[in-house]
Amino acid sequence: MGNEAHIDRAIELLRQARHVVALTGAGISTPSGIPDYRSPKSGLWEKAADMVEVATLAAFRRQPLAFYDWLRPLLHVIREAQPNPAHLALAQLEAVGRLQAIITQNIDLLHSRAGSHQVYEIHGHLREVVCPTCHNVVPAEPLLDAFMAAGKVPHCPRCRHIMKPSVVLFGELLPWRAMKAAQHHCATADVMIVVGSSLQVAPAADLPEMALANGARLIIINYNETHLDDQADVVLRGDVAEVLPQLADP
Ligand code: ZN
């Protein structure tokens, strides 16, 4: 099959489906200019010898300033980034009732900004900061504005401890509620669309397998191969920002 036939097949699957869930990874945000921060190839690890030295919970507790140094360039690109046609296509599918939920590995808030409502951020997000000491949660924007403008690291208004963005660091547990909802949608879905995830980071790898085990059809849109390609009904290689709008607006 050529790509066109694959696209027709994907459109047909979406048309017949009752419950569609999308799983999105870093690849949906790279057309918005956001590098895959978990990848050593992203360039974000050049200064930090090892991600274990900065982006784990233990490292954050030990040296939060090193974490914020590392975060700064990523924060800069995320705050400048705009949703791209792939994010907008998923929001459009939801708006017309053809997509029930998005499960995302991304912390960049671009799905919400594109207008999607049912979004489960299983690696956390940059909407809030949390105090690791007293568990106080406050909106991130004013504190991160002050950090980017004046280098002021967010401090807890209650106990003065340095606060952490609500993103899941390496070695940290995933947000329980988002994971529960994600699993529910995977157990209910009859079609799952994987967008821009190489399905290498657990538990993202497990969720499509759960959907498959429940009889869902799989559509994979990704630049690179994934270990589930041979179990997918449709595999589309290419730019997600070009492919996904063709499924949303056939
Ligand atoms: Zn506190």
Side-chain angles (χ1 to χ4, degrees):
M1 278 200 284
N3 235 21
E4 249 170 54
H6 284 295
I7 283 168
D8 287 345
R9 170 81 180 131
I11 289 168
E12 193 53 34
L13 283 176
L14 291 175
R15 198 170 276 151
Q16 291 166 359
R18 287 169 295 104
H19 193 106
V20 180
V21 59
L23 172 67
T24 69
I28 196 170
S29 291
T30 44
S32 295
I34 300 175
D36 179 0
Y37 78 104
R38 286 180 177 251
S39 159
K41 281 176 267 171
S42 68
L44 289 163
W45 302 113
E46 279 167 20
K47 279 209 302 188
D50 187 330
M51 60 179 86
V52 174
E53 280 179 27
V54 289
T56 65
L57 188 60
F60 180 82
R61 290 183 193 278
R62 209 166 49 237
Q63 38 176 356
L65 298 181
F67 170 80
Y68 274 99
D69 267 352
W70 169 79
L71 185 65
R72 179 182 282 278
L74 178 62
L75 216 45
H76 180 74
V77 286
I78 288 178
R79 286 157 61 92
E80 295 287 312
Q82 298 301 324
N84 67 59
H87 296 106
L88 296 170
L90 290 180
Q92 190 185 340
L93 280 169
E94 185 190 26
V96 297
R98 288 164 59 211
L99 177 70
Q100 275 59 52
I102 297 172
I103 302 163
T104 187
Q105 300 173 273
N106 300 336
I107 60 169
D108 55 36
L109 310 178
L110 291 181
H111 285 302
S112 310
R113 288 180 50 204
S116 291
H117 297 285
Q118 295 298 313
V119 183
Y120 300 100
E121 294 153 321
I122 58 174
H123 288 165
H125 53 77
L126 286 168
R127 199 174 292 108
E128 293 162 344
V129 289
V130 57
C131 175
T133 305
C134 75
H135 307 294
N136 191 15
V137 176
V138 300
E141 200 170 354
L143 294 173
L144 294 180
D145 282 350
F147 169 63
M148 293 308 280
K152 261 183 66 187
V153 169
H155 279 75
C156 178
R158 205 149 70 188
C159 77
R160 307 309 303 160
H161 201 279
I162 293 182
M163 300 185 94
K164 178 183 94 61
S166 292
V167 299
V168 176
L169 301 182
F170 294 98
E172 228 181 336
L173 288 179
L174 301 177
W176 185 83
R177 237 179 253 146
M179 271 311 291
K180 271 287 177 220
Q183 286 165 352
H184 162 76
H185 281 287
C186 291
T188 313
D190 51 3
V191 171
M192 177 182 250
I193 320 174
V194 172
V195 187
S197 174
S198 47
L199 301 177
Q200 281 168 345
V201 182
D206 308 332
L207 292 171
E209 285 184 18
M210 185 185 293
L212 281 169
N214 284 295
R217 310 290 193 114
L218 203 54
I219 301 169
I220 297 179
I221 311 171
N222 198 45
Y223 257 128
N224 303 313
E225 281 180 31
T226 80
H227 72 285
L228 290 181
D229 283 2
D230 57 353
Q231 295 189 59
D233 257 69
V234 182
V235 177
L236 291 159
R237 295 244 178 282
D239 187 340
V240 296
E242 280 170 24
V243 174
L244 206 49
Q246 297 180 59
L247 305 190
D249 198 12

